[in-house]
Amino acid sequence: MTSHSGKVRDVLTDVDHVGIAVSDLEAAVEHYRRAFGVEPDHRETVADQGVEEVLFKVGTSYIQLLAATGPDTPVGKFLAKRGEGVHHIGYRVDDIREVLTHLKELGIPLVDQEPRPGSRGTTVAFAHPKGFGGVLVELVQEPQP
Ligand code: CMX
Ligand code: CO
């Protein structure tokens, strides 16, 4: 992905969040509160992703604690298979459609062919972990002001 100047452009503008799968959301929130003195910044159930999430702000990024709304959801299956732990990395981008097109051109396997709504009014899309060495990657575009 190059600009007119021929230089590689900044595609990823920030780490938006680190997603962490937990089996007991309230216990995890309490643990982060006690350990780091952080208070939840946002809480939301994203029904189509099958998750309830709590965000703690860290600088310009977030810690995203994720609990499954049921066993047959991405996080529910992950917890059953692997247990609690880091689930995905969310990278912030300016133009999610442009980045998705770029990844498609490179033949990188995607979960989402098209962007979809995420939490906080964001637009998100996932690339498959098999395309990034076992790391589930989420692209996140901030809500337009
Ligand atoms: N990180 C790394 N690898 C993962 C993974 C994850 N989070 N989730 C599953 N995998 C691996 C499994 O270990 C498995 O590997 P092997 O084939 O080596 O055993 C493989 O992917 C397939 O696992 P599966 O249990 O059969 O799961 P599915 O193929 O049904 O789904 C995935 C995998 C990535 C397509 C699915 O989890 C998905 O669509 N994720 C994107 C959506 C999501 O995670 N939403 C919740 C977060 C919401 C948010 O951040 O807002
Ligand atoms: Co996420």
Side-chain angles (χ1 to χ4, degrees):
M1 210 175 208
T2 52
S3 69
H4 294 300
S5 68
K7 286 188 182 155
V8 175
R9 243 191 30 184
D10 283 344
V11 175
L12 309 178
T13 60
D14 216 332
V15 173
D16 185 82
H17 63 271
V18 177
I20 299 170
V22 301
S23 48
D24 183 335
L25 189 58
E26 303 321 317
V29 167
E30 191 48 35
H31 186 70
Y32 275 74
R33 181 182 276 134
R34 281 184 58 224
F36 298 130
V38 286
E39 288 299 327
D41 190 74
H42 184 81
R43 180 186 279 261
E44 186 169 339
T45 298
V46 185
D48 76 321
Q49 299 281 308
V51 293
E52 184 177 0
E53 68 167 53
V54 167
L55 296 176
F56 298 105
K57 197 143 201 190
V58 182
T60 54
S61 308
Y62 297 93
I63 301 167
Q64 181 188 52
L65 298 183
L66 292 164
T69 57
D72 198 19
T73 59
V75 173
K77 285 161 76 179
F78 180 92
L79 285 168
K81 214 168 186 174
R82 302 190 177 198
E84 293 185 306
V86 174
H87 182 261
H88 65 274
I89 311 281
Y91 295 117
R92 203 171 289 153
V93 299
D94 281 336
D95 185 338
I96 194 165
R97 285 190 180 278
E98 192 186 5
V99 181
L100 268 186
T101 301
H102 175 66
L103 296 183
K104 273 185 215 171
E105 282 168 4
L106 291 177
I108 292 176
L110 303 175
V111 174
D112 298 308
Q113 302 300 318
E114 294 293 325
R116 52 169 153 166
S119 65
R120 298 190 295 116
T122 58
T123 306
V124 305
F126 285 88
H128 201 280
K130 68 186 175 199
F132 283 99
V135 176
L136 176 60
V137 166
E138 180 180 6
L139 305 174
V140 184
Q141 185 179 315
E142 293 271 84
Q144 302 301 320

